[in-house]
Each structure stands twice: as C-alpha cells, then as structure tokens.
Amino acid sequence: MRYLPHTDAEVEAMLAAIGVENLDALFESIPEALRLRAELDLPPPLDEQGLVDELTSLQACTSGRPFLGAGSYPHHVPAVVSDLLLRGEILTAYTPYQPEVSQGTLQTIFEYQTMVCALTGLEVSNASMYDGAHAMAEAALLALRSRRKSTKVLVSRAIHPLYRRVLDTYLHHGEGEVVTIPVDDATGQMDLPALEAALAAGGQEVACVIAGYPNFFGVIEPLDEIARRCEPTGAIPISITTEAVALGLLAAPGRLGVQIAVGELGSFGNGMSFGGPSVGFFAATEKFLRQMPGRLCGATVDRKGRRGFVLTLSAREQHIRRAKATSNICTNQGLCATAATIHLALLGRHGLRDLARINWQRAHHARKLLSAAGLEPRFSGPVFNEFTVKIADPAGARRRLREVGLEGGFALSRYYDEYPEGLLLAVTEVHAPAAIQALADTLAAAPGGAA
C-alpha cells in the first residue's frame, strides 16, 4: 500500500509549473451543474492499522486478526517496511562473494546485529539463522563444542514442540543426547526440582539448559533461577524466544545470567503469511565469539578515517577448512532480517516498549474477561501476550469461533496429551477491545464451556 504525501508547498510548486492558479482550476472542464458541492458521506478517517483491518475484513471471511500464536504472532507491520524493501538495492536476493563491495548490505547486517544485542543484553550477535528452531539447535551445538566433555542437552518440555523436533534431528547422529525436563503442572514453567535432579545426575556431562522466554504456553520462565542452578556444573544457560515483542518489556536474558539467547524475530516487519518465512536471531557473550555459527559483520575505518563495514567472522565450511568450521548454516534471510531491522528502527526504544506494553495490557484484559466468564487460566505462571485457558472442548470452541467470524486458539492436545482441556490464545496490539470482548463472549458460550 503506497502512500504519496504532498505538502502545501509542493502542491503550489506543481501548480506553478503547469501555470494553474489553484486546484479548482483543474476541474473547469466539468460543468458547474455536475459538480458535487456537499461533503462526501464518508466514515471518519482511520489510522494505518485500522484501514488495513477494514480492507482485510472486506476481502476475508473472518472479521479480524486471529487470536493465534504458538510461534507465529499477528502484529501490525507498517506499510513503510514493505515500501523500503521494494527498493532495488535492498531487494537483492544474495550476499555478494566480495562482501566489502556491498557496504549497504553489510551495514544492514551490522544494524540488525546491534539491535539483537540491545534486545538480548548480550555482547555479540550474528546473522544468517534460518529461524528460531534452527537457532536453538545451533546454540546447543555451540554448547557441546565449548564443553568438549559434555554430551547432554537439557531442554524444557515447555519449549515449542517443533523446535524440540528440529533439535532432535540435529543431534540424532551422535552429536549429543537430549534430555527433556518436565513442566510444573501448576505454573507451566520448567520443573525446577526436576532440573536440579538432572543437573546433579549429569554433572559435567551437561552442556547446556534451554528454557523458553516466554515458553510455548506463553509462561515466562525464571531465567535467573535457572541460570543460578547451572553455575555449579558450568552448564550454559540458553533462552529461546519465539515472541520477540516480549523483549520490549521483559528483562533482557543477558541480564538474568543467560549466556546464549536465540529466537525468532518474525514479529517485527514480517507478516504471518502461512507460517513463514521468518528470521532467527542468535546472541551470546563475547567468550563464544569464535564458536558462533553464521556470519558476523563489524564496523571499522579506512586509511582516511572513513567509517566502513566488513565481514568480520564467517566460520562456515564454505569459507574456511571444514575441520575448523563451526557450522554450515548460512542463509540469506537478509530480506526478512532487513524487514525486522526497519520495523525496529521505526519503533525505537520507547516505541518498542509502548508496543510491548499494549500487548501485555490487552492479553491480560482478555484473560480477566475469560476468567470472569468461568474460563480459568490453565497455568498460574506470569505471561506476556499469550496464555492458556481451560475449556471442556477446545476443538468445539475453535469451531464456534469460526462460526462467528473469529479465528484462533490452539488446542494443546495436539502436542500435549496431558492437557486435553488446554486452549492457547494470543492477544496483541491488532486486537481491538471489541474483538477481545467478542472472543470472551463466544468462548464462554462454546460447547461444554469451562473445563
């Protein structure tokens, strides 16, 4: 959707160029009797997000954005993001083999890395991760490389099931053993006593502990507590974030003792589409710099003191000896990363916090409405913009939502047999209060009602 604004001065300049006194003179060819003299009968103006919602509702069978997260979240993407992406120098599909000749590409990656470091509170960040799932698997491999005598990777069962499946695939051929830590049935967080027992049993064999922030149930894990439990054995605490907007409000993982923070930046600048494509992020403390996968760009100055950007590190098999390579992962998710970078730059530090605060407020408002209607939260742990409610028939509730033009809700039973009554909902800035009220009313009247 293009937006071509003209200032009054620009309009006057254009009229002067064609020798016309004012705008009315452009319509002199229309007979006076045929001209409309009354105001147009139009609804009030809308902001950009409101206009997108209105047009979407006209072309779709639903009345708004889905209340569905589970790894991909509905967010407003400003039109200026796609407009800038269409510029020829940005739309280029591939990183040049002589990267330093493409200063724009390198600067974009550098800015992206800088923003990821700011979000995570860690010292270095790379580029070239496929998505959050692969970033998590690469983080586990880094931990195994760094702790050479370690073979075990402890993973919370509350992490996205598909992410854990990718990790299993990565480690299937002997790189390491995945040990799943159960979920605290009350809070929805990692079971900390079970984690302590696994760390005690594994000892120095434990390479790392991976926890969601927030996790798949939308619950915020106590990263500081997890990191503290890792200290005696030296296991590396790793966080995985699928909803990066949360990092605008939550404490940065690096400030909670996390040494590697990975995740998904698709919430910024990238639409949900049909689940992708997206972009993974990877940040770590500086001691892991030479073990990081992908590529890192840095800033420098030339002989004349002019600022420039360079490909600082690329430990990929294609670029160095295979025995010295850390990973062969290297994709040009550059366009998706650029979209995320533009969106984050538009938001700025304060805008990101405001966006995160709106998400938190609307999700908790929805949670209160549902609770008042008898649909209690499945877990008591703190949440950001995603949460689980108990409902007798999650599948029936989703059908009922669809009947009234709403979409959303993810039945936990798809991946968790132990939570047949769990329905996962996501509420973001795109959900107006009226839509949230409609969600609550519909679920309250859904077949079976509260569990």
Side-chain angles (χ1 to χ4, degrees), residues 6 49 104 140 165 214 218 251 256 271 339 366 389 398 448:
H6 296 300
Q49 181 177 321
R165 191 179 298 176
L256 299 175
V389 296
R398 294 182 62 211

Side-chain angles (χ1 to χ4, degrees), residues 2-284:
R2 289 177 174 272
Y3 175 55
L4 302 173
H6 296 300
T7 65
D8 291 341
E10 289 172 334
V11 171
E12 289 182 9
M14 287 188 285
L15 292 174
I18 61 175
V20 176
E21 184 177 349
N22 53 48
L23 288 174
D24 288 338
L26 297 175
F27 303 100
E28 286 181 347
S29 59
I30 301 175
E32 187 71 25
L34 298 180
R35 296 188 191 182
L36 180 65
R37 293 300 179 187
E39 294 289 334
L40 290 174
D41 183 18
L42 294 174
L46 298 171
D47 60 19
E48 184 179 310
Q49 181 177 321
L51 179 60
V52 171
D53 289 343
E54 174 69 14
L55 294 176
T56 302
S57 69
L58 293 176
Q59 70 178 12
C61 58
T62 62
S63 60
R65 310 289 184 92
F67 292 90
L68 180 62
S72 183
Y73 301 86
H75 287 291
H76 172 66
V77 179
V80 69
V81 174
S82 60
D83 209 50
L84 289 175
L85 287 181
L86 290 174
R87 293 177 63 96
E89 67 271 36
I90 293 177
L91 197 56
T92 302
Y94 208 80
T95 306
Y97 280 92
Q98 295 295 328
E100 278 68 32
V101 303
S102 298
Q103 286 294 295
T105 298
L106 292 183
Q107 181 173 1
T108 300
I109 296 174
F110 180 80
E111 301 292 351
Y112 165 83
Q113 293 172 177
T114 303
M115 291 177 181
V116 170
C117 287
L119 285 173
T120 58
L122 291 168
E123 294 155 342
V124 293
S125 167
N126 70 3
S128 304
M129 295 292 102
Y130 299 140
D131 51 34
H134 287 88
M136 187 181 89
E138 289 287 345
L141 291 179
L142 188 156
L144 289 167
R145 286 194 301 273
S146 300
R147 291 172 55 78
R148 295 182 182 278
K149 296 182 180 179
S150 301
T151 58
K152 296 180 184 296
V153 175
L154 306 189
V155 184
S156 169
R157 184 166 161 73
I159 287 177
H160 198 303
L162 298 183
Y163 284 36
R164 288 189 280 122
R165 191 179 298 176
V166 171
L167 178 65
D168 287 339
T169 303
Y170 261 61
L171 302 185
H172 178 69
H173 294 288
E175 297 280 359
E177 176 190 356
V178 177
V179 178
T180 304
I181 306 300
V183 178
D184 184 315
D185 190 62
T187 65
Q189 297 170 324
M190 181 189 289
D191 188 327
L192 293 182
L195 171 62
E196 288 181 349
L199 285 168
Q204 296 299 315
E205 292 183 350
V206 179
C208 61
V209 176
I210 308 177
Y213 191 62
N215 64 28
F216 185 69
F217 308 128
V219 178
I220 301 164
E221 296 278 8
L223 292 184
D224 52 347
E225 292 291 327
I226 293 170
R228 188 168 59 80
R229 283 165 171 78
C230 290
E231 288 177 1
T233 64
I236 299 170
I238 299 174
S239 68
I240 170 73
T241 300
T242 56
E243 169 56 302
V245 175
L247 298 179
L249 196 61
L250 304 181
R255 294 174 184 165
L256 299 175
V258 166
Q259 297 181 31
I260 303 175
V262 295
E264 178 66 60
L265 273 187
S267 291
F268 297 114
N270 294 273
M272 294 178 78
S273 300
F274 293 98
S278 193
V279 54
F281 71 83
F282 192 116

